[in-house]
Amino acid sequence: MSYQDDSDEFDFESDVESSEDTPTVNCANCKQLIYEDAQQCPYCLEYTSIESPDHLSSSTKTVIWLLILSLVLPTLVFAASVLLKK
Ligand SMILES: [Zn+2]
């Protein structure tokens, strides 16, 4: 009996702690309150698209690589043409 009481109390405490620690946001699709960490909304199953600076999406990475290439490639071509003329 006492063991059951202990487990109930522990469950209650952990539940309160997790709900307080985890930031929540409104789903962009169904406006339900969901965990910010959740990658998918549990209500409408829509994938969340929260942009955070430390988590770049693949499309952002592609744009960055294209920018780097557009800057580096002409420099390399110019350097190669100068070397070839010598
Ligand atoms: Zn939703």
Side-chain angles (χ1 to χ4, degrees), residues 9-32:
E9 192 179 37
F10 175 76
D11 280 342
F12 175 72
E13 278 180 354
S14 65
D15 192 36
V16 168
E17 193 181 1
S18 64
S19 62
E20 278 180 353
D21 284 352
T22 311
T24 52
V25 291
N26 286 103
C27 173
N29 191 45
C30 65
K31 309 301 180 191
Q32 290 280 353

Tab-separated table of all heavy atoms in Angstrom, residues 9-32:
chain	number	residue	atom	x	y	z
A	9	GLU	N	3.089	9.411	-5.978
A	9	GLU	CA	3.649	10.724	-5.677
A	9	GLU	C	4.787	11.055	-6.641
A	9	GLU	O	4.898	12.158	-7.133
A	9	GLU	CB	4.159	10.741	-4.227
A	9	GLU	CG	4.500	12.146	-3.748
A	9	GLU	CD	4.962	12.113	-2.306
A	9	GLU	OE1	5.646	11.163	-1.923
A	9	GLU	OE2	4.613	13.036	-1.567
A	10	PHE	N	5.625	10.049	-6.912
A	10	PHE	CA	6.768	10.258	-7.809
A	10	PHE	C	6.281	10.619	-9.211
A	10	PHE	O	6.787	11.534	-9.843
A	10	PHE	CB	7.623	8.978	-7.851
A	10	PHE	CG	8.755	9.070	-8.830
A	10	PHE	CD1	9.885	9.813	-8.521
A	10	PHE	CD2	8.671	8.436	-10.053
A	10	PHE	CE1	10.925	9.908	-9.426
A	10	PHE	CE2	9.712	8.527	-10.963
A	10	PHE	CZ	10.840	9.271	-10.649
A	11	ASP	N	5.267	9.913	-9.685
A	11	ASP	CA	4.732	10.187	-11.015
A	11	ASP	C	4.203	11.619	-11.095
A	11	ASP	O	4.425	12.331	-12.056
A	11	ASP	CB	3.607	9.203	-11.357
A	11	ASP	CG	4.165	7.860	-11.816
A	11	ASP	OD1	5.352	7.798	-12.197
A	11	ASP	OD2	3.403	6.892	-11.791
A	12	PHE	N	3.507	12.032	-10.047
A	12	PHE	CA	2.928	13.376	-10.034
A	12	PHE	C	4.027	14.434	-10.084
A	12	PHE	O	3.953	15.382	-10.844
A	12	PHE	CB	2.069	13.537	-8.768
A	12	PHE	CG	1.524	14.925	-8.607
A	12	PHE	CD1	0.504	15.380	-9.437
A	12	PHE	CD2	2.028	15.777	-7.630
A	12	PHE	CE1	-0.005	16.654	-9.285
A	12	PHE	CE2	1.525	17.051	-7.494
A	12	PHE	CZ	0.514	17.495	-8.315
A	13	GLU	N	5.075	14.212	-9.282
A	13	GLU	CA	6.164	15.195	-9.232
A	13	GLU	C	6.885	15.300	-10.573
A	13	GLU	O	7.163	16.384	-11.063
A	13	GLU	CB	7.166	14.813	-8.135
A	13	GLU	CG	6.691	15.265	-6.762
A	13	GLU	CD	7.686	14.873	-5.672
A	13	GLU	OE1	8.646	14.177	-6.001
A	13	GLU	OE2	7.469	15.258	-4.524
A	14	SER	N	7.193	14.153	-11.171
A	14	SER	CA	7.932	14.171	-12.432
A	14	SER	C	7.090	14.817	-13.529
A	14	SER	O	7.597	15.513	-14.394
A	14	SER	CB	8.327	12.753	-12.831
A	14	SER	OG	7.171	11.986	-13.093
A	15	ASP	N	5.778	14.590	-13.470
A	15	ASP	CA	4.898	15.153	-14.486
A	15	ASP	C	4.881	16.674	-14.381
A	15	ASP	O	4.987	17.380	-15.372
A	15	ASP	CB	3.479	14.591	-14.309
A	15	ASP	CG	2.591	14.912	-15.495
A	15	ASP	OD1	3.102	14.916	-16.630
A	15	ASP	OD2	1.402	15.185	-15.280
A	16	VAL	N	4.777	17.187	-13.160
A	16	VAL	CA	4.753	18.634	-12.959
A	16	VAL	C	6.078	19.245	-13.380
A	16	VAL	O	6.127	20.260	-14.057
A	16	VAL	CB	4.465	18.957	-11.472
A	16	VAL	CG1	4.728	20.435	-11.180
A	16	VAL	CG2	3.030	18.603	-11.125
A	17	GLU	N	7.164	18.565	-13.011
A	17	GLU	CA	8.487	19.105	-13.318
A	17	GLU	C	8.700	19.199	-14.829
A	17	GLU	O	9.168	20.205	-15.333
A	17	GLU	CB	9.554	18.206	-12.698
A	17	GLU	CG	10.937	18.863	-12.697
A	17	GLU	CD	11.975	17.929	-12.101
A	17	GLU	OE1	11.608	16.809	-11.721
A	17	GLU	OE2	13.121	18.325	-12.030
A	18	SER	N	8.335	18.151	-15.557
A	18	SER	CA	8.566	18.144	-16.995
A	18	SER	C	7.704	19.193	-17.685
A	18	SER	O	8.136	19.846	-18.618
A	18	SER	CB	8.268	16.759	-17.567
A	18	SER	OG	6.911	16.446	-17.396
A	19	SER	N	6.466	19.375	-17.219
A	19	SER	CA	5.582	20.338	-17.869
A	19	SER	C	6.048	21.764	-17.601
A	19	SER	O	5.814	22.656	-18.393
A	19	SER	CB	4.144	20.157	-17.398
A	19	SER	OG	4.051	20.393	-16.021
A	20	GLU	N	6.738	21.972	-16.464
A	20	GLU	CA	7.227	23.320	-16.168
A	20	GLU	C	8.521	23.618	-16.909
A	20	GLU	O	8.766	24.736	-17.321
A	20	GLU	CB	7.457	23.467	-14.659
A	20	GLU	CG	6.161	23.767	-13.911
A	20	GLU	CD	6.422	23.918	-12.428
A	20	GLU	OE1	7.555	23.655	-11.988
A	20	GLU	OE2	5.483	24.298	-11.720
A	21	ASP	N	9.356	22.587	-17.073
A	21	ASP	CA	10.667	22.800	-17.682
A	21	ASP	C	10.569	22.917	-19.197
A	21	ASP	O	11.321	23.658	-19.810
A	21	ASP	CB	11.612	21.647	-17.328
A	21	ASP	CG	12.110	21.771	-15.896
A	21	ASP	OD1	11.827	22.818	-15.285
A	21	ASP	OD2	12.742	20.833	-15.405
A	22	THR	N	9.672	22.166	-19.808
A	22	THR	CA	9.613	22.138	-21.265
A	22	THR	C	8.821	23.327	-21.792
A	22	THR	O	7.656	23.490	-21.449
A	22	THR	CB	8.952	20.837	-21.750
A	22	THR	OG1	9.559	19.747	-21.089
A	22	THR	CG2	9.112	20.685	-23.253
A	23	PRO	N	9.426	24.164	-22.604
A	23	PRO	CA	8.699	25.291	-23.193
A	23	PRO	C	7.674	24.811	-24.213
A	23	PRO	O	7.915	23.854	-24.937
A	23	PRO	CB	9.793	26.120	-23.865
A	23	PRO	CG	10.903	25.152	-24.135
A	23	PRO	CD	10.824	24.108	-23.061
A	24	THR	N	6.545	25.476	-24.230
A	24	THR	CA	5.479	25.070	-25.152
A	24	THR	C	5.196	26.184	-26.154
A	24	THR	O	5.388	27.362	-25.867
A	24	THR	CB	4.181	24.744	-24.390
A	24	THR	OG1	3.860	25.831	-23.538
A	24	THR	CG2	4.338	23.473	-23.563
A	25	VAL	N	4.741	25.789	-27.319
A	25	VAL	CA	4.367	26.740	-28.358
A	25	VAL	C	3.021	26.315	-28.941
A	25	VAL	O	2.602	25.168	-28.780
A	25	VAL	CB	5.417	26.790	-29.497
A	25	VAL	CG1	6.710	27.406	-28.994
A	25	VAL	CG2	5.643	25.428	-30.077
A	26	ASN	N	2.374	27.245	-29.624
A	26	ASN	CA	1.123	26.905	-30.294
A	26	ASN	C	1.423	26.347	-31.671
A	26	ASN	O	2.236	26.894	-32.407
A	26	ASN	CB	0.231	28.145	-30.409
A	26	ASN	CG	-0.380	28.527	-29.075
A	26	ASN	OD1	0.066	29.465	-28.432
A	26	ASN	ND2	-1.378	27.790	-28.640
A	27	CYS	N	0.757	25.245	-31.999
A	27	CYS	CA	0.954	24.637	-33.300
A	27	CYS	C	0.526	25.613	-34.392
A	27	CYS	O	-0.516	26.252	-34.293
A	27	CYS	CB	0.142	23.342	-33.403
A	27	CYS	SG	0.176	22.616	-35.050
A	28	ALA	N	1.349	25.735	-35.418
A	28	ALA	CA	1.061	26.678	-36.496
A	28	ALA	C	-0.147	26.234	-37.315
A	28	ALA	O	-0.767	27.035	-37.999
A	28	ALA	CB	2.271	26.814	-37.408
A	29	ASN	N	-0.456	24.943	-37.235
A	29	ASN	CA	-1.543	24.406	-38.061
A	29	ASN	C	-2.873	24.394	-37.316
A	29	ASN	O	-3.870	24.909	-37.804
A	29	ASN	CB	-1.173	23.001	-38.526
A	29	ASN	CG	-2.116	22.496	-39.593
A	29	ASN	OD1	-2.447	23.221	-40.528
A	29	ASN	ND2	-2.570	21.267	-39.448
A	30	CYS	N	-2.894	23.781	-36.093
A	30	CYS	CA	-4.167	23.602	-35.376
A	30	CYS	C	-4.246	24.463	-34.123
A	30	CYS	O	-5.245	24.419	-33.422
A	30	CYS	CB	-4.357	22.133	-35.007
A	30	CYS	SG	-3.138	21.523	-33.826
A	31	LYS	N	-3.201	25.247	-33.836
A	31	LYS	CA	-3.173	26.191	-32.710
A	31	LYS	C	-3.230	25.508	-31.338
A	31	LYS	O	-3.494	26.162	-30.349
A	31	LYS	CB	-4.336	27.203	-32.812
A	31	LYS	CG	-4.450	27.883	-34.163
A	31	LYS	CD	-3.191	28.653	-34.525
A	31	LYS	CE	-3.348	29.318	-35.888
A	31	LYS	NZ	-2.082	29.857	-36.389
A	32	GLN	N	-3.011	24.188	-31.284
A	32	GLN	CA	-2.960	23.497	-30.009
A	32	GLN	C	-1.621	23.760	-29.347
A	32	GLN	O	-0.619	23.981	-30.030
A	32	GLN	CB	-3.159	21.988	-30.204
A	32	GLN	CG	-4.571	21.605	-30.605
A	32	GLN	CD	-5.528	21.573	-29.427
A	32	GLN	OE1	-5.119	21.719	-28.281
A	32	GLN	NE2	-6.798	21.388	-29.711
